[in-house]
Amino acid sequence: MKIGITCYPTYGGSGAVATELGIALAARGHEVHFITYAHPFRLPVFSPRIFFHEVAIGSYPLFQYPPYDLALAVRMHEVATQQKLDLLHVHYAIPHATSAWLAKQMLREAGHDLPVVTTLHGTDITIVGQDHSYHAITKFSIEKSDRVTAVSQYLKDETVRAFGCDNRRVEVIPNFVNPVVFDRGAYDGALRGQLGGGRKVLMHISNMRPVKRVTDVVQIFAAVRREIPSVLVMVGDGPDRSAAEEEARRLDVEGDVRFLGKIDGIAPLLASADLYLLTTDQESFGLSALEAQSCGVPVLGYNVGGLPEVVESGVTGHLGAVGDIVGMAGAAIDLLGHQDRWQAMSAAAVRRAAGCFATDRVLPLYEALYADAVQ
Ligand code: GMT
């Protein structure tokens, strides 16, 4: 099939999933056209059967906010027409599902019926979409999509609850991971030495938005470090990075906390970690937690949102109450202090990731959805 994909190209889960999906679809023989304002951060420089169409945003002195959603709709229409797309798959409802609906109407005028699939990822439903400015158009655009998926049962339930969408209209297709890429054994331990110098390596990866509670990560690390020789590696960047850096200084641990900034190839880093921390208080899935588990890294997170669908508390990691720094640190110390327990949890994490979340298990779900939508 010829599939158009729209997503945010920036450092975050929904763009990562959309890009990995496009790469996997192309590897299975489909032709993939990315339509967005910049080259997606996880998209390699060149891949056969993958094409990138940049959205040019026209500006005019009258515009305080150039209408990206309209420019996107025009580019979607243009690419669908020129490339004869069979389907358009948009990731993150705002504004992508609305732009797709506009493009669909324009194409319909020319007799081209373009099925639109919308995948809901998280904050489009749990935060942004519930803002009064966006709620009605988010509900409208979801309900106008030919097919709708959510990355977790939690997010499906939240979509039905917050938007009154028909329960039957939302299909759960989880995020996925390539166990060949996110494989601890594929990378030698060289990075471990460089990062931890023989100490345990705790890691966090995110766009460091307030929902991630990155200062909790630093506080948990500071408590762990008092008992276990360890370092904390913070990957990514965002509005709360400076707060996390300040927290590290306040707790006098800045010498053992390394902020690496945005890094695309995170698999070798994850393969060098002993514990992955994800302290979001509204995580719809937790792609980074899945990728960590695939690399044999137990996950320490909060028992909220869709994370319990990814991490099996007590088996592949530990899920605690939001803000329970002491409890979280205690679980981390107990795990890192007992190699046999860590080994068992690490092996269970790999099995869980490679089981129901492997690319080869999830891709056919999207392909079946596409085939049904085209029908
Ligand atoms: O986690 C982020 O802040 C990025 C966010 C996004 O909107 O790109 O990620 C969301 O989508 C990911 C991929 O489906 C999910 O794994 C994340 O759980 C979800 N983030 C939240 O719900 C906070």
Side-chain angles (χ1 to χ4, degrees), residues 11-15 17 92 120-124 126-127 151 175 206-207 209 211-212 280 282-288:
Y11 203 80
S14 59
V17 170
Y92 203 88
L120 308 172
H121 282 273
T123 52
D124 45 353
T126 60
I127 300 179
V151 297
N175 292 329
S206 79
N207 47 35
R209 298 175 187 156
V211 70
K212 298 295 181 179
T280 325
Q282 268 189 323
E283 196 73 62
S284 70
F285 182 90
L287 176 66
S288 57

Short mmCIF file of all heavy atoms in Angstrom, two decimals, residues 11-15 17 92 120-124 126-127 151 175 206-207 209 211-212 280 282-288, ligand 1:
data_model
loop_
_atom_site.label_atom_id
_atom_site.label_comp_id
_atom_site.label_asym_id
_atom_site.label_seq_id
_atom_site.Cartn_x
_atom_site.Cartn_y
_atom_site.Cartn_z
N TYR A 11 11.26 15.37 19.40
CA TYR A 11 11.71 14.36 20.35
C TYR A 11 10.57 14.00 21.29
O TYR A 11 10.26 14.72 22.23
CB TYR A 11 12.88 14.95 21.15
CG TYR A 11 13.80 13.93 21.77
CD1 TYR A 11 14.78 13.31 21.02
CD2 TYR A 11 13.70 13.60 23.13
CE1 TYR A 11 15.65 12.40 21.59
CE2 TYR A 11 14.55 12.68 23.70
CZ TYR A 11 15.53 12.08 22.93
OH TYR A 11 16.38 11.18 23.50
N GLY A 12 9.89 12.92 21.00
CA GLY A 12 8.78 12.50 21.85
C GLY A 12 8.23 11.18 21.37
O GLY A 12 8.52 10.74 20.25
N GLY A 13 7.42 10.57 22.19
CA GLY A 13 6.96 9.22 21.92
C GLY A 13 6.13 9.08 20.67
O GLY A 13 6.31 8.14 19.90
N SER A 14 5.21 10.01 20.43
CA SER A 14 4.31 9.79 19.29
C SER A 14 5.07 9.89 17.97
O SER A 14 4.84 9.09 17.05
CB SER A 14 3.17 10.82 19.31
OG SER A 14 3.69 12.14 19.26
N GLY A 15 6.03 10.80 17.89
CA GLY A 15 6.85 10.90 16.67
C GLY A 15 7.73 9.68 16.50
O GLY A 15 7.92 9.19 15.38
N VAL A 17 7.08 6.59 17.59
CA VAL A 17 6.24 5.46 17.16
C VAL A 17 5.88 5.59 15.70
O VAL A 17 5.98 4.63 14.92
CB VAL A 17 4.97 5.38 18.03
CG1 VAL A 17 3.98 4.38 17.44
CG2 VAL A 17 5.31 4.98 19.46
N TYR A 92 -1.32 11.51 16.90
CA TYR A 92 -1.59 12.62 17.80
C TYR A 92 -2.70 13.46 17.17
O TYR A 92 -2.53 14.07 16.11
CB TYR A 92 -0.35 13.48 18.04
CG TYR A 92 -0.40 14.28 19.33
CD1 TYR A 92 0.06 13.73 20.53
CD2 TYR A 92 -0.91 15.57 19.36
CE1 TYR A 92 0.02 14.46 21.72
CE2 TYR A 92 -0.95 16.30 20.53
CZ TYR A 92 -0.49 15.74 21.70
OH TYR A 92 -0.53 16.46 22.87
N LEU A 120 -4.34 7.80 18.66
CA LEU A 120 -4.26 8.64 19.84
C LEU A 120 -3.09 8.17 20.68
O LEU A 120 -2.93 6.97 20.94
CB LEU A 120 -5.58 8.55 20.62
CG LEU A 120 -6.85 8.80 19.77
CD1 LEU A 120 -8.09 8.50 20.58
CD2 LEU A 120 -6.86 10.22 19.23
N HIS A 121 -2.27 9.11 21.12
CA HIS A 121 -1.01 8.74 21.80
C HIS A 121 -0.97 9.05 23.29
O HIS A 121 -0.26 8.37 24.04
CB HIS A 121 0.17 9.40 21.09
CG HIS A 121 0.56 8.70 19.84
ND1 HIS A 121 1.44 7.64 19.83
CD2 HIS A 121 0.17 8.88 18.55
CE1 HIS A 121 1.58 7.20 18.59
NE2 HIS A 121 0.84 7.93 17.79
N GLY A 122 -1.64 10.08 23.72
CA GLY A 122 -1.58 10.34 25.16
C GLY A 122 -2.04 11.74 25.50
O GLY A 122 -3.22 11.98 25.75
N THR A 123 -1.10 12.68 25.46
CA THR A 123 -1.46 14.02 25.92
C THR A 123 -2.46 14.70 24.99
O THR A 123 -3.11 15.66 25.39
CB THR A 123 -0.19 14.89 26.03
OG1 THR A 123 0.53 14.82 24.79
CG2 THR A 123 0.70 14.40 27.16
N ASP A 124 -2.63 14.16 23.78
CA ASP A 124 -3.70 14.71 22.90
C ASP A 124 -5.07 14.46 23.54
O ASP A 124 -6.02 15.20 23.32
CB ASP A 124 -3.63 14.14 21.48
CG ASP A 124 -3.42 12.63 21.41
OD1 ASP A 124 -3.18 12.01 22.47
OD2 ASP A 124 -3.49 12.07 20.32
N THR A 126 -5.29 13.26 27.17
CA THR A 126 -5.29 13.46 28.63
C THR A 126 -5.04 14.90 29.04
O THR A 126 -5.40 15.31 30.13
CB THR A 126 -4.20 12.57 29.28
OG1 THR A 126 -2.92 12.95 28.74
CG2 THR A 126 -4.47 11.11 29.00
N ILE A 127 -4.39 15.69 28.19
CA ILE A 127 -4.07 17.07 28.60
C ILE A 127 -4.59 18.07 27.57
O ILE A 127 -5.60 18.74 27.77
CB ILE A 127 -2.54 17.25 28.82
CG1 ILE A 127 -2.04 16.29 29.92
CG2 ILE A 127 -2.23 18.71 29.21
CD1 ILE A 127 -0.55 16.38 30.20
N VAL A 151 -3.10 3.76 22.02
CA VAL A 151 -1.91 2.95 22.29
C VAL A 151 -2.05 2.10 23.54
O VAL A 151 -1.16 1.30 23.86
CB VAL A 151 -0.64 3.84 22.39
CG1 VAL A 151 -0.37 4.53 21.05
CG2 VAL A 151 -0.78 4.86 23.51
N ASN A 175 1.97 0.23 21.39
CA ASN A 175 3.26 0.57 20.79
C ASN A 175 4.11 -0.69 20.74
O ASN A 175 3.79 -1.70 21.37
CB ASN A 175 3.93 1.68 21.59
CG ASN A 175 3.18 2.98 21.46
OD1 ASN A 175 2.56 3.26 20.43
ND2 ASN A 175 3.21 3.80 22.50
N SER A 206 13.36 11.48 28.19
CA SER A 206 12.07 12.11 27.89
C SER A 206 12.28 13.50 27.33
O SER A 206 13.41 13.99 27.25
CB SER A 206 11.19 12.20 29.15
OG SER A 206 11.61 13.32 29.97
N ASN A 207 11.16 14.15 26.97
CA ASN A 207 11.25 15.55 26.52
C ASN A 207 11.09 16.50 27.69
O ASN A 207 10.82 17.68 27.53
CB ASN A 207 10.20 15.83 25.44
CG ASN A 207 8.84 15.29 25.84
OD1 ASN A 207 8.52 15.31 27.01
ND2 ASN A 207 8.09 14.77 24.89
N ARG A 209 8.99 17.43 29.88
CA ARG A 209 7.84 18.31 30.10
C ARG A 209 7.37 18.12 31.53
O ARG A 209 7.69 17.12 32.17
CB ARG A 209 6.68 17.95 29.15
CG ARG A 209 7.00 18.11 27.66
CD ARG A 209 5.82 17.59 26.84
NE ARG A 209 6.12 17.56 25.40
CZ ARG A 209 5.48 16.75 24.56
NH1 ARG A 209 4.54 15.93 25.01
NH2 ARG A 209 5.78 16.74 23.28
N VAL A 211 4.78 17.05 32.88
CA VAL A 211 4.08 15.78 33.18
C VAL A 211 5.07 14.67 33.54
O VAL A 211 4.73 13.71 34.22
CB VAL A 211 3.19 15.38 31.97
CG1 VAL A 211 4.05 14.94 30.79
CG2 VAL A 211 2.19 14.29 32.35
N LYS A 212 6.33 14.81 33.15
CA LYS A 212 7.34 13.78 33.41
C LYS A 212 7.88 13.80 34.85
O LYS A 212 8.54 12.87 35.29
CB LYS A 212 8.51 13.93 32.43
CG LYS A 212 8.11 13.77 30.98
CD LYS A 212 7.63 12.35 30.67
CE LYS A 212 7.26 12.21 29.22
NZ LYS A 212 6.82 10.86 28.86
N THR A 280 6.34 9.81 35.18
CA THR A 280 5.22 10.60 34.67
C THR A 280 3.98 10.35 35.51
O THR A 280 3.74 9.19 35.91
CB THR A 280 4.92 10.17 33.21
OG1 THR A 280 6.13 9.83 32.55
CG2 THR A 280 4.21 11.26 32.46
N GLN A 282 0.99 10.92 34.24
CA GLN A 282 -0.13 10.61 33.33
C GLN A 282 0.43 9.97 32.07
O GLN A 282 0.26 10.50 30.99
CB GLN A 282 -0.86 11.90 32.95
CG GLN A 282 -2.03 12.25 33.84
CD GLN A 282 -2.82 13.41 33.27
OE1 GLN A 282 -2.24 14.34 32.71
NE2 GLN A 282 -4.12 13.37 33.41
N GLU A 283 1.08 8.82 32.18
CA GLU A 283 1.72 8.18 31.02
C GLU A 283 0.73 7.25 30.33
O GLU A 283 0.25 6.31 30.94
CB GLU A 283 2.94 7.39 31.50
CG GLU A 283 3.91 7.01 30.40
CD GLU A 283 4.72 8.19 29.89
OE1 GLU A 283 5.47 8.78 30.67
OE2 GLU A 283 4.56 8.53 28.71
N SER A 284 0.40 7.51 29.09
CA SER A 284 -0.63 6.69 28.43
C SER A 284 -0.08 5.32 28.06
O SER A 284 -0.83 4.36 27.94
CB SER A 284 -1.13 7.39 27.18
OG SER A 284 -0.11 7.38 26.20
N PHE A 285 1.23 5.24 27.82
CA PHE A 285 1.85 3.95 27.49
C PHE A 285 3.25 3.87 28.09
O PHE A 285 3.52 3.04 28.94
CB PHE A 285 1.91 3.76 25.97
CG PHE A 285 2.49 2.44 25.53
CD1 PHE A 285 1.67 1.33 25.36
CD2 PHE A 285 3.85 2.30 25.30
CE1 PHE A 285 2.20 0.10 24.97
CE2 PHE A 285 4.40 1.08 24.91
CZ PHE A 285 3.57 -0.03 24.75
N GLY A 286 4.16 4.70 27.65
CA GLY A 286 5.54 4.71 28.14
C GLY A 286 6.45 3.96 27.18
O GLY A 286 7.01 2.92 27.52
N LEU A 287 6.59 4.48 25.96
CA LEU A 287 7.39 3.80 24.94
C LEU A 287 8.80 3.56 25.45
O LEU A 287 9.37 2.48 25.27
CB LEU A 287 7.45 4.63 23.65
CG LEU A 287 8.34 4.08 22.54
CD1 LEU A 287 7.78 2.76 22.01
CD2 LEU A 287 8.48 5.10 21.40
N SER A 288 9.39 4.54 26.11
CA SER A 288 10.78 4.40 26.58
C SER A 288 10.89 3.27 27.61
O SER A 288 11.90 2.57 27.67
CB SER A 288 11.27 5.71 27.19
OG SER A 288 10.42 6.11 28.25
O1 GMT B 1 5.70 11.35 26.48
C1 GMT B 1 5.67 12.44 25.90
O2 GMT B 1 5.61 13.54 26.45
C2 GMT B 1 5.58 12.47 24.42
C3 GMT B 1 4.18 12.00 24.12
C4 GMT B 1 3.78 12.45 22.78
O3 GMT B 1 2.69 13.00 22.75
O4 GMT B 1 4.54 12.24 21.83
O5 GMT B 1 4.19 10.57 24.23
C5 GMT B 1 2.92 9.99 24.24
O6 GMT B 1 2.95 9.05 23.18
C6 GMT B 1 3.87 7.97 23.39
C7 GMT B 1 3.82 7.09 22.16
O7 GMT B 1 2.55 6.54 21.99
C8 GMT B 1 3.49 7.20 24.65
O8 GMT B 1 4.40 6.12 24.85
C9 GMT B 1 3.56 8.14 25.85
O9 GMT B 1 3.10 7.46 27.01
C10 GMT B 1 2.68 9.36 25.61
N1 GMT B 1 2.97 10.35 26.65
C11 GMT B 1 2.08 10.61 27.61
O10 GMT B 1 0.97 10.11 27.67
C12 GMT B 1 2.54 11.61 28.64
#
